[in-house]
Amino acid sequence: QQQVKQSPQSLIVQKGGISIINCAYENTAFDYFPWYQQFPGKGPALLIAIRPDVSEKKEGRFTISFNKSAKQFSLHIMDSQPGDSATYFCAASRGQAGTALIFGKGTTLSVSS
Amino acid sequence: DTAVSQTPKYLVTQMGNDKSIKCEQNLGHDTMYWYKQDSKKFLKIMFSYNNKELIINETVPNRFSPKSPDKAHLNLHINSLELGDSAVYFCASSQEAGGTEAFFGQGTRLTVV
């Protein structure tokens, strides 16, 4: 049973365009939703995260949109750059002792120049 | 100064051997994790320790045994290695429960031949 479903699996965007990656979750007990960025040969790095009490969070060119009723959240990368080419993972957790991040399957983003 | 460091970065070994991966974090975090990333880049939680106490033990073969000598270190020992154990293993740590704001190491690529 996949608790966090991520789409698309891969994405090609032109430089300067908007990249959008979507995630859906099933467990309504989840209360922490981060996005991680992973470059080849490196570990995942926390990009931005949101909690269910807000519908949007923006940090620079990265924005998370959160829809609690639909149990969906998305990552928007504005003005996408070749340096953004990486694999992006959404995740969710209950934020309690004895729990851990549950990851989506990842999206490989390629930004063409 | 690396926050979460793993050694070794690469590990190539024969089937049937026993190997260990070491992890250290200098962030002062209370909780540490082991994740496995398979060939399709899927990240799956294996174990979690909080202050040297095992708090998460997912469905992982008994051949895998984590050990936490202190809260800054979490090692992973694997007995009788099998071809299917080939993957990238990531150590992570977080101050809060549930993997909130978790930092990941650079990974250990294990190849079993």
Side-chain angles (χ1 to χ4, degrees):
Chain A
Q1 180 187 1
Q2 191 182 343
Q3 296 193 55
V4 180
K5 294 182 180 179
Q6 183 172 346
S7 63
Q9 187 175 352
S10 62
L11 183 61
I12 299 174
V13 172
Q14 285 209 328
K15 180 181 175 182
I18 302 173
S19 303
I20 302 174
I21 305 171
N22 301 299
C23 277
Y25 62 96
E26 298 171 2
N27 189 342
T28 55
F30 287 149
D31 66 356
Y32 176 70
F33 303 90
W35 285 91
Y36 277 79
Q37 179 188 57
Q38 185 180 27
F39 292 104
K42 303 291 185 184
L46 179 62
L47 198 57
I48 187 172
I50 198 167
R51 292 199 183 264
D53 53 345
V54 296
S55 59
E56 187 174 282
K57 183 174 180 180
K58 183 176 180 179
E59 288 183 4
R61 296 184 294 109
F62 301 91
T63 300
I64 298 181
S65 297
F66 186 82
N67 186 329
K68 187 174 181 178
S69 60
K71 293 189 286 184
Q72 295 175 346
F73 59 109
S74 59
L75 176 69
H76 295 232
I77 306 175
M78 312 299 287
D79 187 27
S80 298
Q81 298 297 311
D84 296 330
S85 298
T87 301
Y88 292 82
F89 294 93
C90 64
S93 86
R94 285 184 284 146
Q96 299 172 350
T99 66
L101 292 172
I102 307 297
F103 283 88
K105 291 193 173 183
T107 297
T108 301
L109 171 66
S110 296
V111 181
S112 60
S113 52
Chain B
D1 202 17
T2 307
V4 181
S5 59
Q6 296 178 227
T7 53
K9 187 169 171 64
Y10 300 97
L11 190 51
V12 181
T13 188
Q14 291 190 326
M15 276 195 304
N17 284 351
D18 303 338
K19 290 293 178 186
S20 292
I21 305 172
K22 295 186 177 182
C23 178
E24 177 182 4
Q25 55 97 1
N26 63 6
L27 298 165
H29 289 168
D30 289 334
T31 308
M32 296 184 72
Y33 312 83
W34 277 111
Y35 277 86
K36 179 180 180 180
Q37 186 170 50
D38 63 22
S39 58
K40 295 183 179 179
K41 297 188 180 178
F42 182 54
L43 281 157
K44 187 170 170 27
I45 181 70
M46 299 174 68
F47 302 102
S48 177
Y49 270 75
N50 181 270
N51 248 325
K52 303 191 296 175
E53 181 184 346
L54 181 66
I55 56 171
I56 294 176
N57 185 352
E58 290 294 310
T59 309
V60 176
N62 290 338
R63 299 180 294 103
F64 290 79
S65 54
K67 281 191 173 55
S68 180
D70 57 61
K71 77 171 195 176
H73 295 83
L74 179 61
N75 304 322
L76 183 65
H77 188 76
I78 315 169
N79 289 325
S80 303
L81 278 155
E82 300 178 356
L83 292 176
D85 297 332
S86 296
V88 182
Y89 292 85
F90 286 101
C91 176
S93 73
S94 67
Q95 179 55 37
E96 297 183 34
T100 307
E101 296 191 16
F103 286 79
F104 282 75
Q106 81 278 19
T108 296
R109 181 173 292 278
L110 171 66
T111 303
V112 183
V113 297

